[in-house]
Amino acid sequence: MLDNYKADDPEEFNDVFKNIRINDLSLQVHTISLNLGNWPECSYNTVSASMWIHHKEKQIASYKATYSLDGEPEDDFFDLL
């Protein structure tokens, strides 16, 4: 995820992580969910995983990835705090 962020927008990546070494980050899985979408038909179902990103024991961002039930990536979200 961070490699993609760096490749997609290197200027913003450097602004956000200018004083942070990537190896100093810790990742903590927060939630894994089964999502039954398009209720009540439930015709769009996914699995999502959310994690918190910490630097020096302080949460600085969160990340969520969504996958089809076949394991194919659907979408992802990266939010700075």
Side-chain angles (χ1 to χ4, degrees), residues 58-72:
K58 179 182 176 189
Q59 184 182 354
I60 62 169
S62 63
Y63 177 73
K64 179 179 179 180
T66 305
Y67 302 89
S68 71
L69 297 183
D70 295 334
E72 294 298 316

Side-chain angles (χ1 to χ4, degrees), residues 29-37 42-51 63-77:
V29 174
H30 174 261
T31 307
I32 298 175
S33 304
L34 172 62
N35 310 299
L36 304 176
C42 296
S43 58
Y44 180 69
N45 304 318
T46 58
V47 173
S48 60
S50 300
M51 69 174 66
Y63 177 73
K64 179 179 179 180
T66 305
Y67 302 89
S68 71
L69 297 183
D70 295 334
E72 294 298 316
E74 292 280 324
D75 207 348
D76 65 342
F77 310 90

Side-chain angles (χ1 to χ4, degrees), residues 11-28:
E11 187 174 317
E12 181 180 286
F13 180 89
N14 288 331
D15 285 344
V16 171
F17 292 102
K18 62 184 166 197
N19 296 321
I20 298 174
R21 289 185 14 199
I22 299 303
N23 292 340
D24 291 339
L25 298 176
S26 63
L27 308 174
Q28 177 186 1

